[in-house]
Amino acid sequence: MMRAVLVAGLLLGAIASADAQTTLRVGDQKGNSQAVMEAAGVLKDVPYKIEWKEFAAAAPLLEALSAGAIETGLVGDAPFTFAAAANVPVKAIAAIRQTREGLAVLVPNNSPVRDFESLKGKKIATGRGSIGHQLILAALESKGWSTSDVQIVFLAPSDAKVAYTQGSVDAWSTWEPYVSQEEVLFQSRRVITAEGLTPGLGFQVATPNAIRDKRPELEDFVRRLTAARAWSQTNVGAYAETWGRLMNIPPAVPLNWLSRAKIRVAPIDDGVVADEQQTIDLYFRSGLIKQKLNAADIVDRSFSGAIGKGAGL
């Protein structure tokens, strides 16, 4: 009898402990944070539960964050700016740095278009407020053109892919892994990339409530993500193989992407704030946002220590 009571007590204690375990609800985009963290083996001993939710693009991820469905997630600087200007409660807690070759305007292999200038008056698909949209605006500005000099067709990635494949748009301004998929599998061509045009920043973002209530979990998550990205830079081939299996995509696609991207997690420092201000100013000049934000107000520098620890793993 006493043994039965003891076992029942232990079971109840275990259930109570499981119930008490904190859950961090994390938004991700196709083949990004979860994929690299699993491949690097940094998720094996997490002392809290991670509830992953995958989104096709940053806009729906940020909508979920605004609605309280997730607490943190990975987005590009452009949609982050768009969300902050719309008063979504969000702060950037870490930056993602990478080369800008994987943000590009694509045309089909058989297209007569050979450069961005040839797209004048033509249709370019991208997501509203996305980094693809940002690239178009920056490219137009660099040429001294206005937004009326091309026809921007706003579509989600899956719809943009269909329109692009069917020829109902002339070009597609998109990001990785879509760029590498098109290049490797369908021989699409990049007519312009973001090199020299946009900062190419990504952000790990979080709600103010999560920063207040789940700081230890967020710090630990950022530390693990930093370590995973550091691992991926020194194990490109192995990561490309693993990524390809996880996504059911030929490994040549991620190898193309990861070899040139050199993705790393960086702290929110003066350089990141200046680059984010550049994106804010571009969006403000273009009329995409109505209020000129101060980049320093929408970032949180206090997670830098976690990034330093992650880099040292």
Side-chain angles (χ1 to χ4, degrees), residues 101-285:
E101 295 178 63
L103 172 56
V105 176
L106 300 171
V107 296
N109 187 42
N110 61 358
S111 170
V113 172
R114 294 291 157 187
D115 48 35
F116 188 78
E117 288 80 356
S118 304
L119 286 170
K120 198 165 193 176
K122 299 192 182 299
K123 294 179 180 177
I124 308 175
T126 199
R128 184 186 293 274
S130 69
I131 54 175
H133 191 182
Q134 177 193 26
L135 174 57
I136 296 172
L137 295 177
L140 291 171
E141 205 173 73
S142 73
K143 306 294 180 188
W145 296 2
S146 72
T147 50
S148 61
D149 284 319
V150 295
Q151 299 177 59
I152 305 176
V153 181
F154 294 118
L155 296 169
S158 56
D159 296 326
K161 162 68 175 171
V162 172
Y164 175 76
T165 302
Q166 292 179 344
S168 53
V169 296
D170 301 285
W172 182 14
S173 185
T174 190
W175 51 90
E176 297 287 16
Y178 303 110
V179 170
S180 286
Q181 280 183 240
E182 291 303 316
E183 283 184 293
V184 173
L185 303 181
F186 305 102
Q187 290 72 56
S188 286
R189 292 180 286 107
R190 295 175 293 162
V191 293
I192 194 168
T193 74
E195 287 290 339
L197 289 177
T198 73
L201 275 179
F203 287 117
Q204 187 69 34
V205 300
T207 63
N209 286 349
I211 292 171
R212 182 191 66 219
D213 300 334
K214 295 186 179 179
R215 175 173 288 274
E217 291 79 14
L218 283 172
E219 286 181 340
D220 182 77
F221 182 85
V222 167
R223 179 178 65 83
R224 292 171 190 272
L225 179 60
T226 303
R229 283 298 178 198
W231 172 87
S232 72
Q233 284 209 48
T234 55
N235 295 273
V236 174
Y239 179 40
E241 286 285 345
T242 303
W243 191 95
R245 285 197 302 272
L246 283 170
M247 298 292 114
N248 196 28
I249 290 173
V253 171
L255 191 60
N256 187 72
W257 164 27
L258 298 165
S259 296
R260 68 188 179 199
K262 299 177 175 60
I263 306 166
R264 62 185 175 88
V265 181
I268 304 289
D269 57 16
D270 290 345
V272 167
V273 173
D275 282 348
E276 170 55 19
Q277 193 64 54
Q278 181 183 329
T279 299
I280 290 168
D281 294 345
L282 172 67
Y283 270 31
F284 184 72
R285 285 194 304 271

